[in-house]
C-alpha cells in the first residue's frame, strides 16, 4: 500500500486568462462564507473566530492537495451538528472541575478526522462514501436540521435555554415566555423573512450577505446592545498560529469515536455534493483522491485552532456560478477573509446574535430536501421508511446516536435486500432463443422433465433458510416426471459454509423425490468453495455445466440415451460385435 500525495494537482494546466474569473469568484465565495463562518461555531459553542480560521486554513490545505478544480471546503451545518454532539460527549465525560477548552477538543477532532481521511485513502476506502445511502442521508440531514433550528431558540429570543432534545426546549420557552427579549425575536424573524424573500426572488446578492450588512447598519443606528440585543463582541485581531492541540487529560477513545462519526457524515455528504457539481462541470470525482484533499483541509484547520470541515455546497455553488475556474478562487477567498479578520473586526463586533440565529435557521431548512423525500416515496416506500427512521433517530436520540441509527438503518436495509433474493423458474418462449421467467411470460413453457431455477443473489448464512424453503416449495409443486433440478448460479457472486450445507440438504431431498441436482454457470470463487467442501464431488462433475444451455443439451442427451436404452430392452435387441471387429 502506498500513499501518493501530489501537490497542486488541481492547478495543473492553469491558464493566466482564468485569473480575473478566479479573483471575482473568490471574493464572492468570501462574501457568502463570512456569515456562515461566524455563525456556525455557535452550534458547537466555539469562539466565533474559529469559523474564520477554518474558512482560511481549510481551503488553502485543499488547494495544495485536493484533486478538484471547483470544490470549496469549509464549515458545514451537518458536520458542525455532529461535531457539537461529539464535543459535548467528551466534555461531559470529564470531571466536573476539569478545565476544558472546547476549541482544543474541536481542533483535536479535526486532526483525527484528517488522519482518518489519509488512512482511508491508504487503504483505498473511498467506497465508504457510499456507505450511507442517499435516502438515509436525506433523512439524517432532515433530523439534523431540526436539531439546529431548536438550538437557535435561545439566540432568537434572548433566553438561556438549557434543555436538550425536541420537546423540552419548547416547554422551557413557554415557561420563560415572560422573559423573552422581544426586540431580539423581532429582529431574528425580520432577518429570516429577508433570507426567504431573497431566496425566492433569486437576487444576485446572497441572502446571508444582505442580512449581515443590514443587521450591522441597524445595530449602529439603534444601538442594539442598549436594547438588550446580544451582539458578537470582540474578535481577536491576530491571525492564528500553527500549534498542535494538547491531548492531555482528554479521553482518546471518545475523541477517535467522535472523529469517526464526523468523518462518516462529512465525507459521505461531501462526496454527494462533489458528484453533484462534477456532473455540471464535467469533472470526474475520485473518492479516494478526495480523501487526500479533505484530509489536508481538516489537518490544516486543526493545526490553526479550528474544527472539522467538509465540502461546502453553498460556497462551491457560488464559485461555480460566478465563473470560478480553479482552486485559486479558494485561495483568494482565504485571502479576503484574512483581510477581514485583520481590518474589519470592529465592524463584525456589532453584528447582532439574532441575525446569526436567523442565518442558521435558514441554513438548517435548506438541509430538509422535501422534493427528494417525495422522489424517494415514489420510487421505494421501504427506503422512504428508512429515511424517516434515520430522521427520527437524529431528532429523538441526539446526533451521535443518529449517526449510529443511520449506520444501523443502512445495514438493516442492505441485509433485508439480501435476505430475500429474487428467484424464478425458467422456460422456453415458442421458437424464440433464450430462456424466460415463467412468472413474467405466461406464454413461456418449462422444458418437460427439467426444472431450471435461477437465484438472483448471493447465498449466505442469513438467507440460506429462506432459499431452502423456496426450493422445497418449488420442488414440491413440479409436475410428475421431473428428473433434473438445475440451479442457474450466474447471479450467485458469493456463498458461505452455511449455504453449502443447505445445498447439500437440498441435494438429498431432491434425490429422495427422484430428482438430480445440477448447477450451471458457477463463478470461479463459488466453484472453489464447492470443491473445497466436497459438495461438487457429491453432486457429480457431470451435473456441473458451463451455462444453462449446456445443461439443457446434457439433459436432452441423457433423455435420448435413456429412451434408446428402453426401446432396445423392450424389443429384445442386443448389440452384436462383428467378427474381426
Amino acid at each position: 500500500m502506498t500513499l501518493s500525495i501530489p501537490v497542486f494537482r488541481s492547478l495543473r494546466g492553469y491558464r493566466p486568462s482564468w485569473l480575473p474569473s478566479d479573483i471575482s469568484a473568490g471574493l464572492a465565495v468570501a462574501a457568502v462564507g463570512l456569515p456562515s463562518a461566524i455563525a456556525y461555531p455557535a452550534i458547537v459553542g466555539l469562539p466565533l473566530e474559529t469559523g474564520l480560521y477554518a474558512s482560511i486554513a481549510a481551503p488553502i490545505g485543499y488547494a495544495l492537495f485536493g484533486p478538484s478544480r471547483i470544490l470549496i471546503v469549509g464549515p458545514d451545518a451537518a458536520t458542525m451538528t455532529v461535531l457539537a454532539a461529539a464535543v459535548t460527549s467528551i466534555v461531559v465525560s470529564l470531571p466536573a472541575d476539569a478545565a476544558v477548552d472546547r476549541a482544543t477538543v474541536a481542533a483535536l477532532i479535526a486532526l483525527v478526522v484528517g488522519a482518518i481521511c489519509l488512512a482511508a485513502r491508504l487503504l483505498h476506502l473511498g467506497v465508504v462514501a457510499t456507505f450511507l445511502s442517499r435516502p438515509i442521508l436525506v433523512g439524517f440531514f432532515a433530523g439534523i436540521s431540526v436539531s439546529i433550528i431548536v438550538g437557535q431558540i435561545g439566540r432568537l429570543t434572548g433566553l438561556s435555554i438549557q434543555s436538550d432534545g425536541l420537546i423540552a426546549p419548547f416547554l422551557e420557552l413557554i415557561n420563560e415566555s415572560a422573559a423573552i427579549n422581544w426586540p431580539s425575536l423581532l429582529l431574528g424573524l425580520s432577518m429570516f423573512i429577508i433570507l426567504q424573500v431573497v431566496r425566492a426572488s433569486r437576487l444576485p446578492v446572497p441572502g446571508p450577505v444582505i442580512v449581515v450588512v443590514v443587521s450591522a447598519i441597524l445595530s449602529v443606528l439603534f444601538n442594539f446592545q442598549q436594547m438588550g440585543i446580544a451582539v458578537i463582541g470582540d474578535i481577536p485581531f491576530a491571525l492564528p498560529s500553527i500549534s498542535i492541540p494538547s491531548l492531555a487529560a482528554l479521553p482518546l477513545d471518545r475523541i477517535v469515536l467522535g472523529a469517526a462519526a464526523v468523518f462518516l457524515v462529512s465525507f459521505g455528504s461531501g462526496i454527494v455534493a462533489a458528484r453533484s457539481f462534477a456532473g455540471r462541470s464535467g469533472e470526474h470525482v475520485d473518492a479516494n483522491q478526495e480523501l487526500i484533499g479533505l484530509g489536508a483541509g481538516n489537518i490544516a484547520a486543526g493545526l490553526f485552532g479550528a474544527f472539522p470541515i467538509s465540502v461546502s455546497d453553498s460556497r462551491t455553488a457560488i464559485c461555480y456560478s460566478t465563473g470560478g475556474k480553479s482552486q485559486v478562487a479558494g485561495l483568494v477567498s482565504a485571502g479576503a477573509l484574512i483581510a477581514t479578520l485583520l481590518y474589519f473586526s470592529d465592524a463584525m463586533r456589532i453584528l447582532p446574535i439574532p441575525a446569526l440565529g436567523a442565518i442558521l435557521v435558514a441554513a438548517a431548512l435548506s438541509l430538509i430536501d422535501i422534493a427528494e423525500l417525495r422522489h424517494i416515496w415514489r420510487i421505494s416506500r421501504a427506503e422512504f421508511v428508512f429515511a424517516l427512521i434515520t430522521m427520527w433517530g437524529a431528532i429523538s436520540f441526539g446526533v451521535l446516536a443518529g449517526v449510529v441509527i443511520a449506520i444501523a438503518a443502512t445495514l438493516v436495509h442492505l441485509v433485508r435486500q439480501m435476505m430475500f433474493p429474487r428467484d424464478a423458474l425458467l422456460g422456453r418462449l415458442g421458437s424464440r432463443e433464450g430462456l424466460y421467467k415463467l412468472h413474467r411470460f405466461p406464454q413461456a413453457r418449462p422444458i418437460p422433465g427439467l426444472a431450471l431455477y435461477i437465484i438472483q443473489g448471493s447465498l449466505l448464512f442469513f438467507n440460506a433458510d429462506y432459499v431452502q424453503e423456496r426450493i422445497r416449495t418449488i420442488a414440491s409443486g413440479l409436475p410428475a416426471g421431473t428428473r433434473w433440478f438445475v440451479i442457474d448460479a450466474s447471479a450467485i457472486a458469493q456463498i458461505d459454509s452455511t449455504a453449502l450445507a443447505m445445498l447439500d440438504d437440498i441435494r438429498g431431498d431432491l434425490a429422495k423425490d427422484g430428482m438430480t441436482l445440477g448447477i450451471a454457470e458457477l463463478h470461479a470463487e463459488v466453484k472453489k468453495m464447492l470443491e473445497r467442501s466436497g459438495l461438487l464431488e457429491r453432486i457429480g462433475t457431470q451435473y456441473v455445466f458451463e451455462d444453462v444451455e449446456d445443461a439443457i443439451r446434457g439433459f436432452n442427451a441423457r433423455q435420448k440415451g435413456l429412451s434408446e436404452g428402453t426401446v432396445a430392452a423392450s424389443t429384445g435387441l442386443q448389440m452384436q460385435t462383428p467378427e474381426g471387429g
Side-chain angles (χ1 to χ4, degrees), residues 215-279:
S215 63
I217 293 173
L218 292 176
S219 182
V220 172
L221 293 177
F222 296 102
N223 197 346
F224 280 165
Q225 284 183 284
Q226 286 191 354
M227 298 173 63
I229 298 176
V231 296
I232 287 178
D234 293 332
I235 295 178
F237 287 88
L239 292 175
S241 58
I242 293 180
S243 63
I244 299 177
S246 173
L247 187 59
L250 294 175
L252 179 60
D253 56 341
R254 288 181 178 266
I255 287 175
V256 172
L257 288 175
V262 171
F263 163 76
L264 186 63
V265 173
S266 64
F267 184 54
S269 61
I271 290 298
V272 169
R275 287 174 176 159
S276 173
F277 286 104

Side-chain angles (χ1 to χ4, degrees), residues 440-517:
R440 290 186 57 191
F441 298 89
Q443 304 90 343
R445 294 291 179 266
I447 297 171
L450 173 62
L452 298 173
Y453 173 71
I454 184 170
I455 303 173
Q456 296 177 300
S458 294
L459 295 181
L460 300 168
F461 65 94
F462 50 77
N463 64 14
D465 288 344
Y466 170 78
V467 173
Q468 184 173 24
E469 286 303 313
R470 283 289 299 161
I471 293 177
R472 284 175 174 170
T473 301
I474 290 171
S476 65
L478 292 173
T482 302
R483 293 290 175 259
W484 283 19
F485 189 98
V486 175
I487 297 176
D488 179 352
S490 59
I492 302 176
Q494 291 178 302
I495 195 168
D496 64 7
S497 57
T498 303
L500 288 170
M502 178 270 292
L503 288 178
D504 207 5
D505 291 342
I506 288 295
R507 181 189 62 82
D509 293 342
L510 293 173
K512 291 177 184 178
D513 294 334
M515 282 183 278
T516 298
L517 175 65

Side-chain angles (χ1 to χ4, degrees), residues 19-308:
L19 187 57
S21 297
D22 279 339
I23 291 174
S24 62
L27 293 175
V29 168
V32 172
L34 178 62
S36 59
I38 58 180
Y40 285 171
I43 297 175
V44 192
L46 298 175
L48 300 185
E49 65 268 18
T50 58
L52 291 170
Y53 299 164
S55 300
I56 292 168
I60 294 174
Y62 187 91
L64 284 171
F65 302 106
S68 173
R69 291 185 182 276
I70 64 165
L71 291 183
I72 304 294
V73 297
D76 169 73
T79 301
M80 295 301 292
T81 309
V82 179
L83 175 65
V87 171
T88 300
S89 71
I90 293 168
V91 171
V92 299
S93 71
L94 298 173
D97 58 347
V100 183
D101 182 6
R102 296 176 75 93
T104 298
V105 176
L108 274 171
I109 291 177
L111 289 175
V112 177
V113 170
I116 292 174
C117 287
L118 297 183
R121 170 61 184 89
L122 185 64
L123 298 172
H124 299 281
L125 295 181
V127 69
V128 76
T130 59
F131 188 70
L132 294 178
S133 66
R134 177 65 178 166
I136 286 175
L137 273 176
V138 170
F140 181 71
F141 289 160
I144 280 179
S145 70
V146 174
S147 299
I148 294 174
I149 292 169
V150 172
Q152 305 317 303
I153 293 176
R155 296 184 181 92
L156 293 173
T157 61
L159 298 176
S160 178
I161 302 295
Q162 303 297 326
S163 303
D164 295 321
L166 179 61
I167 305 299
F170 287 101
L171 295 178
E172 186 175 348
L173 173 64
I174 294 172
N175 291 332
E176 298 185 16
S177 58
I180 291 176
N181 183 279
W182 292 103
S184 293
L185 183 58
L186 180 61
L187 175 65
L189 292 177
S190 301
M191 295 301 104
F192 178 77
I193 291 172
I194 289 175
L195 287 167
Q196 300 310 306
V197 170
V198 171
R199 182 181 179 183
S201 58
R202 299 182 179 180
L203 294 178
V205 181
V209 175
I210 294 176
V211 164
V212 166
V213 173
V214 170
S215 63
I217 293 173
L218 292 176
S219 182
V220 172
L221 293 177
F222 296 102
N223 197 346
F224 280 165
Q225 284 183 284
Q226 286 191 354
M227 298 173 63
I229 298 176
V231 296
I232 287 178
D234 293 332
I235 295 178
F237 287 88
L239 292 175
S241 58
I242 293 180
S243 63
I244 299 177
S246 173
L247 187 59
L250 294 175
L252 179 60
D253 56 341
R254 288 181 178 266
I255 287 175
V256 172
L257 288 175
V262 171
F263 163 76
L264 186 63
V265 173
S266 64
F267 184 54
S269 61
I271 290 298
V272 169
R275 287 174 176 159
S276 173
F277 286 104
R280 305 180 199 177
S281 64
E283 282 193 319
H284 169 70
V285 176
D286 184 337
N288 285 310
Q289 289 302 121
E290 287 297 341
L291 280 166
I292 296 177
L294 289 174
N298 276 288
I299 290 173
L303 290 176
F304 281 93
F307 45 74

